[in-house]
Short mmCIF file of all heavy atoms in Angstrom, two decimals:
data_model
loop_
_atom_site.label_atom_id
_atom_site.label_comp_id
_atom_site.label_asym_id
_atom_site.label_seq_id
_atom_site.Cartn_x
_atom_site.Cartn_y
_atom_site.Cartn_z
N ILE A 744 -4.55 1.00 10.91
CA ILE A 744 -3.15 1.35 10.85
C ILE A 744 -2.33 0.16 10.60
O ILE A 744 -2.41 -0.76 11.39
CB ILE A 744 -2.68 2.17 12.09
CG1 ILE A 744 -3.44 3.41 12.33
CG2 ILE A 744 -1.15 2.42 12.06
CD1 ILE A 744 -3.12 4.19 13.65
N PRO A 764 -11.85 8.28 13.46
CA PRO A 764 -10.48 8.61 13.97
C PRO A 764 -9.75 7.38 14.46
O PRO A 764 -10.17 6.54 15.04
CB PRO A 764 -10.74 9.55 15.10
CG PRO A 764 -12.05 10.22 14.74
CD PRO A 764 -12.87 9.12 14.08
N LEU A 765 -8.46 7.30 13.99
CA LEU A 765 -7.53 6.21 14.33
C LEU A 765 -6.38 6.79 15.17
O LEU A 765 -5.77 7.77 14.85
CB LEU A 765 -6.95 5.62 13.07
CG LEU A 765 -7.87 4.75 12.22
CD1 LEU A 765 -7.12 4.36 10.93
CD2 LEU A 765 -8.43 3.49 12.96
N THR A 766 -6.20 6.17 16.32
CA THR A 766 -5.18 6.68 17.22
C THR A 766 -3.91 5.81 17.13
O THR A 766 -4.02 4.58 17.09
CB THR A 766 -5.57 6.59 18.81
OG1 THR A 766 -6.72 7.48 18.99
CG2 THR A 766 -4.51 6.93 19.71
N LEU A 767 -2.76 6.32 16.90
CA LEU A 767 -1.53 5.68 16.82
C LEU A 767 -1.04 5.08 18.20
O LEU A 767 -0.76 5.88 19.03
CB LEU A 767 -0.41 6.63 16.26
CG LEU A 767 1.00 5.96 16.05
CD1 LEU A 767 0.91 4.89 15.02
CD2 LEU A 767 1.97 7.04 15.70
N ASP A 768 -1.02 3.82 18.27
CA ASP A 768 -0.55 3.11 19.59
C ASP A 768 0.90 2.60 19.31
O ASP A 768 1.28 2.37 18.22
CB ASP A 768 -1.50 1.99 19.82
CG ASP A 768 -2.90 2.50 20.19
OD1 ASP A 768 -3.09 3.53 20.84
OD2 ASP A 768 -3.87 1.76 19.75
N THR A 769 1.47 2.40 20.46
CA THR A 769 2.88 1.79 20.33
C THR A 769 2.71 0.29 19.97
O THR A 769 1.64 -0.29 20.04
CB THR A 769 3.59 1.93 21.59
OG1 THR A 769 5.01 1.51 21.45
CG2 THR A 769 2.96 1.11 22.73
N SER A 775 8.15 0.79 24.13
CA SER A 775 8.05 2.12 24.56
C SER A 775 6.59 2.29 25.09
O SER A 775 5.72 1.52 24.81
CB SER A 775 8.39 3.00 23.47
OG SER A 775 7.45 2.86 22.39
N SER A 776 6.43 3.32 25.87
CA SER A 776 5.14 3.65 26.44
C SER A 776 4.20 4.31 25.45
O SER A 776 2.93 4.27 25.61
CB SER A 776 5.28 4.56 27.69
OG SER A 776 5.91 5.81 27.34
N TYR A 777 4.79 4.93 24.38
CA TYR A 777 3.96 5.47 23.28
C TYR A 777 4.86 5.45 22.03
O TYR A 777 6.12 5.38 22.10
CB TYR A 777 3.48 6.86 23.55
CG TYR A 777 4.45 7.98 23.91
CD1 TYR A 777 5.01 8.69 22.89
CD2 TYR A 777 4.83 8.10 25.27
CE1 TYR A 777 5.92 9.70 23.29
CE2 TYR A 777 5.80 9.11 25.56
CZ TYR A 777 6.30 9.90 24.60
OH TYR A 777 7.20 10.88 24.92
N PHE A 778 4.23 5.49 20.87
CA PHE A 778 4.91 5.20 19.58
C PHE A 778 6.20 6.13 19.31
O PHE A 778 7.28 5.66 18.96
CB PHE A 778 4.00 5.31 18.49
CG PHE A 778 4.52 4.79 17.07
CD1 PHE A 778 4.28 3.43 16.80
CD2 PHE A 778 5.24 5.57 16.35
CE1 PHE A 778 4.64 2.91 15.57
CE2 PHE A 778 5.79 5.04 15.08
CZ PHE A 778 5.47 3.70 14.74
N LEU A 779 5.99 7.44 19.47
CA LEU A 779 7.05 8.44 19.24
C LEU A 779 7.86 8.79 20.42
O LEU A 779 8.57 9.83 20.44
CB LEU A 779 6.45 9.66 18.64
CG LEU A 779 5.72 9.45 17.18
CD1 LEU A 779 5.12 10.71 16.68
CD2 LEU A 779 6.68 8.90 16.17
N GLU A 780 7.97 7.88 21.46
CA GLU A 780 8.74 8.17 22.57
C GLU A 780 10.22 8.37 22.23
O GLU A 780 11.00 9.30 22.74
CB GLU A 780 8.64 7.02 23.60
CG GLU A 780 9.36 7.31 24.98
CD GLU A 780 9.15 6.23 25.96
OE1 GLU A 780 8.44 5.28 25.69
OE2 GLU A 780 9.60 6.53 27.17
N ARG A 781 10.70 7.50 21.30
CA ARG A 781 12.14 7.63 20.94
C ARG A 781 12.14 7.59 19.29
O ARG A 781 13.22 7.11 18.74
CB ARG A 781 12.93 6.43 21.43
CG ARG A 781 12.94 6.43 22.97
CD ARG A 781 13.90 5.20 23.39
NE ARG A 781 13.28 3.83 22.96
CZ ARG A 781 12.43 3.26 23.68
NH1 ARG A 781 11.94 3.68 24.82
NH2 ARG A 781 12.03 2.10 23.18
N ARG A 782 11.15 8.19 18.64
CA ARG A 782 11.09 8.08 17.24
C ARG A 782 10.58 9.42 16.66
O ARG A 782 9.89 10.22 17.38
CB ARG A 782 10.11 6.99 16.71
CG ARG A 782 10.69 5.56 16.88
CD ARG A 782 9.77 4.56 16.31
NE ARG A 782 10.52 3.40 16.01
CZ ARG A 782 11.18 3.15 14.85
NH1 ARG A 782 10.92 3.98 13.81
NH2 ARG A 782 12.03 2.12 14.62
N GLU A 783 10.87 9.64 15.38
CA GLU A 783 10.37 10.64 14.65
C GLU A 783 9.44 10.08 13.50
O GLU A 783 9.66 8.80 13.17
CB GLU A 783 11.35 11.59 14.05
CG GLU A 783 12.39 10.98 13.14
CD GLU A 783 13.61 11.83 12.76
OE1 GLU A 783 13.52 13.04 13.15
OE2 GLU A 783 14.56 11.25 12.20
N MET A 784 8.61 10.92 12.84
CA MET A 784 7.71 10.29 11.79
C MET A 784 7.53 11.32 10.69
O MET A 784 7.39 12.54 11.00
CB MET A 784 6.35 9.96 12.50
CG MET A 784 5.32 9.43 11.50
SD MET A 784 3.76 8.89 12.33
CE MET A 784 4.27 7.29 12.93
N ILE A 786 4.77 11.78 7.29
CA ILE A 786 3.45 11.32 6.79
C ILE A 786 3.28 12.16 5.41
O ILE A 786 3.48 13.30 5.38
CB ILE A 786 2.43 11.69 7.75
CG1 ILE A 786 2.59 10.90 9.07
CG2 ILE A 786 1.07 11.25 7.16
CD1 ILE A 786 1.71 11.51 10.14
N SER A 794 -6.74 15.04 8.32
CA SER A 794 -5.97 15.78 9.22
C SER A 794 -5.22 14.78 10.18
O SER A 794 -5.67 13.71 10.39
CB SER A 794 -6.84 16.76 10.07
OG SER A 794 -7.78 16.03 10.80
N VAL A 795 -4.11 15.33 10.81
CA VAL A 795 -3.42 14.58 11.80
C VAL A 795 -3.37 15.45 13.03
O VAL A 795 -2.80 16.66 12.94
CB VAL A 795 -2.05 14.19 11.31
CG1 VAL A 795 -1.28 13.42 12.44
CG2 VAL A 795 -2.08 13.45 10.05
N VAL A 796 -3.86 14.97 14.24
CA VAL A 796 -3.94 15.68 15.45
C VAL A 796 -2.66 15.12 16.20
O VAL A 796 -2.51 14.08 16.61
CB VAL A 796 -5.16 15.37 16.22
CG1 VAL A 796 -5.22 16.20 17.52
CG2 VAL A 796 -6.26 15.80 15.28
N VAL A 797 -1.90 16.23 16.54
CA VAL A 797 -0.60 15.89 17.32
C VAL A 797 -0.67 16.73 18.64
O VAL A 797 -0.62 17.92 18.64
CB VAL A 797 0.68 16.29 16.51
CG1 VAL A 797 1.88 15.90 17.33
CG2 VAL A 797 0.68 15.59 15.10
N GLU A 798 -0.90 15.97 19.72
CA GLU A 798 -1.01 16.64 21.07
C GLU A 798 -1.99 17.77 21.04
O GLU A 798 -1.72 18.87 21.60
CB GLU A 798 0.47 17.12 21.45
CG GLU A 798 1.47 16.03 21.68
CD GLU A 798 1.26 15.21 22.94
OE1 GLU A 798 0.20 15.36 23.56
OE2 GLU A 798 2.18 14.41 23.26
N GLY A 799 -3.09 17.44 20.46
CA GLY A 799 -4.23 18.55 20.41
C GLY A 799 -4.17 19.54 19.30
O GLY A 799 -5.08 20.27 19.13
N THR A 800 -3.02 19.61 18.59
CA THR A 800 -2.96 20.47 17.43
C THR A 800 -3.28 19.76 16.09
O THR A 800 -2.73 18.82 15.84
CB THR A 800 -1.54 21.13 17.34
OG1 THR A 800 -1.30 21.89 18.53
CG2 THR A 800 -1.56 22.13 16.22
N SER A 801 -4.27 20.23 15.39
CA SER A 801 -4.64 19.62 14.11
C SER A 801 -3.86 20.18 12.85
O SER A 801 -3.79 21.38 12.78
CB SER A 801 -6.23 19.70 13.95
OG SER A 801 -6.61 19.07 12.80
N TYR A 802 -3.42 19.27 12.05
CA TYR A 802 -2.73 19.66 10.89
C TYR A 802 -3.51 19.12 9.70
O TYR A 802 -3.68 17.86 9.52
CB TYR A 802 -1.31 19.07 10.75
CG TYR A 802 -0.41 19.71 11.90
CD1 TYR A 802 -0.38 18.97 13.20
CD2 TYR A 802 0.36 20.79 11.70
CE1 TYR A 802 0.38 19.59 14.25
CE2 TYR A 802 1.16 21.28 12.87
CZ TYR A 802 1.17 20.62 13.98
OH TYR A 802 1.96 21.07 15.05
N LEU A 810 3.78 15.88 6.46
CA LEU A 810 3.75 16.34 7.89
C LEU A 810 4.97 15.63 8.52
O LEU A 810 5.09 14.42 8.45
CB LEU A 810 2.51 16.12 8.67
CG LEU A 810 2.48 16.47 10.10
CD1 LEU A 810 2.44 17.96 10.20
CD2 LEU A 810 1.20 15.82 10.82
N TYR A 811 5.84 16.39 9.15
CA TYR A 811 6.82 15.86 10.06
C TYR A 811 6.45 15.99 11.53
O TYR A 811 5.94 17.03 11.99
CB TYR A 811 8.21 16.50 9.85
CG TYR A 811 9.24 16.16 10.86
CD1 TYR A 811 9.91 14.98 10.79
CD2 TYR A 811 9.53 16.91 11.94
CE1 TYR A 811 10.88 14.57 11.71
CE2 TYR A 811 10.46 16.56 12.95
CZ TYR A 811 11.18 15.42 12.82
OH TYR A 811 12.06 15.01 13.75
N ILE A 812 6.61 14.78 12.27
CA ILE A 812 6.35 14.86 13.60
C ILE A 812 7.57 14.42 14.47
O ILE A 812 8.03 13.39 14.31
CB ILE A 812 5.16 13.86 14.02
CG1 ILE A 812 3.92 14.13 13.13
CG2 ILE A 812 4.71 14.04 15.51
CD1 ILE A 812 2.81 13.12 13.32
N GLY A 813 7.99 15.34 15.38
CA GLY A 813 9.16 15.10 16.12
C GLY A 813 8.93 14.07 17.30
O GLY A 813 7.76 13.72 17.65
N SER A 814 9.94 13.58 17.78
CA SER A 814 9.88 12.56 18.90
C SER A 814 9.34 13.31 20.19
O SER A 814 9.33 14.48 20.29
CB SER A 814 11.30 12.01 19.32
OG SER A 814 12.14 13.04 19.73
N GLY A 815 8.73 12.42 21.10
CA GLY A 815 8.20 12.96 22.35
C GLY A 815 6.78 13.30 22.31
O GLY A 815 6.21 13.73 23.32
N ASN A 816 6.07 13.20 21.07
CA ASN A 816 4.66 13.48 20.96
C ASN A 816 3.87 12.18 21.32
O ASN A 816 3.93 11.23 20.44
CB ASN A 816 4.32 14.02 19.63
CG ASN A 816 4.88 15.42 19.41
OD1 ASN A 816 4.32 16.40 20.00
ND2 ASN A 816 5.93 15.63 18.63
N ALA A 817 3.22 12.17 22.41
CA ALA A 817 2.46 10.97 22.78
C ALA A 817 1.20 10.71 22.05
O ALA A 817 0.88 9.60 21.88
CB ALA A 817 2.22 11.00 24.28
N GLU A 818 0.53 11.71 21.63
CA GLU A 818 -0.81 11.64 21.03
C GLU A 818 -0.70 11.97 19.51
O GLU A 818 -0.39 13.10 19.14
CB GLU A 818 -1.80 12.50 21.63
CG GLU A 818 -3.21 12.39 21.03
CD GLU A 818 -4.19 13.38 21.57
OE1 GLU A 818 -3.93 14.60 21.29
OE2 GLU A 818 -5.16 13.05 22.23
N VAL A 819 -1.11 10.94 18.75
CA VAL A 819 -1.23 11.13 17.23
C VAL A 819 -2.49 10.53 16.82
O VAL A 819 -2.63 9.24 17.04
CB VAL A 819 -0.03 10.57 16.45
CG1 VAL A 819 -0.28 10.74 15.02
CG2 VAL A 819 1.22 11.11 16.94
N ILE A 820 -3.40 11.32 16.15
CA ILE A 820 -4.68 10.81 15.81
C ILE A 820 -4.87 11.12 14.33
O ILE A 820 -4.64 12.28 13.83
CB ILE A 820 -5.86 11.32 16.55
CG1 ILE A 820 -5.67 11.10 18.04
CG2 ILE A 820 -7.12 10.82 16.08
CD1 ILE A 820 -6.64 11.72 18.93
N PHE A 821 -5.29 10.14 13.48
CA PHE A 821 -5.50 10.27 12.04
C PHE A 821 -7.00 10.43 11.84
O PHE A 821 -7.84 9.61 12.31
CB PHE A 821 -4.98 9.04 11.31
CG PHE A 821 -3.48 8.87 11.43
CD1 PHE A 821 -3.00 7.97 12.33
CD2 PHE A 821 -2.60 9.57 10.66
CE1 PHE A 821 -1.58 7.77 12.49
CE2 PHE A 821 -1.22 9.39 10.86
CZ PHE A 821 -0.75 8.50 11.81
N LYS A 822 -7.40 11.50 10.93
CA LYS A 822 -8.77 11.72 10.67
C LYS A 822 -9.01 11.91 9.20
O LYS A 822 -8.11 12.37 8.55
CB LYS A 822 -9.27 12.90 11.44
CG LYS A 822 -9.31 12.76 12.87
CD LYS A 822 -9.92 14.05 13.59
CE LYS A 822 -9.94 13.92 15.09
NZ LYS A 822 -10.51 15.02 15.81
N ASN A 842 14.27 15.81 20.08
CA ASN A 842 12.94 16.29 19.64
C ASN A 842 13.08 17.63 18.72
O ASN A 842 13.85 18.51 19.06
CB ASN A 842 12.05 16.66 20.80
CG ASN A 842 10.80 17.47 20.40
OD1 ASN A 842 10.75 18.68 20.43
ND2 ASN A 842 9.77 16.79 19.90
N THR A 845 7.21 19.76 15.23
CA THR A 845 6.38 19.22 14.19
C THR A 845 6.09 20.36 13.08
O THR A 845 5.88 21.51 13.53
CB THR A 845 4.99 18.81 14.81
OG1 THR A 845 5.30 17.81 15.79
CG2 THR A 845 3.99 18.37 13.75
#
Side-chain angles (χ1 to χ4, degrees):
I744 298 174
L765 291 174
T766 299
L767 179 66
D768 296 320
T769 191
S775 61
S776 57
Y777 56 93
F778 193 94
L779 294 179
E780 185 175 7
R781 299 183 298 273
R782 287 187 156 266
E783 58 189 353
M784 175 176 284
I786 301 165
S794 59
V795 181
V796 180
V797 182
E798 297 286 9
T800 301
S801 182
Y802 298 87
L810 179 69
Y811 170 77
I812 307 175
S814 65
N816 288 289
E818 181 190 64
V819 179
I820 302 172
F821 301 96
K822 297 181 178 181
N842 169 263
T845 298

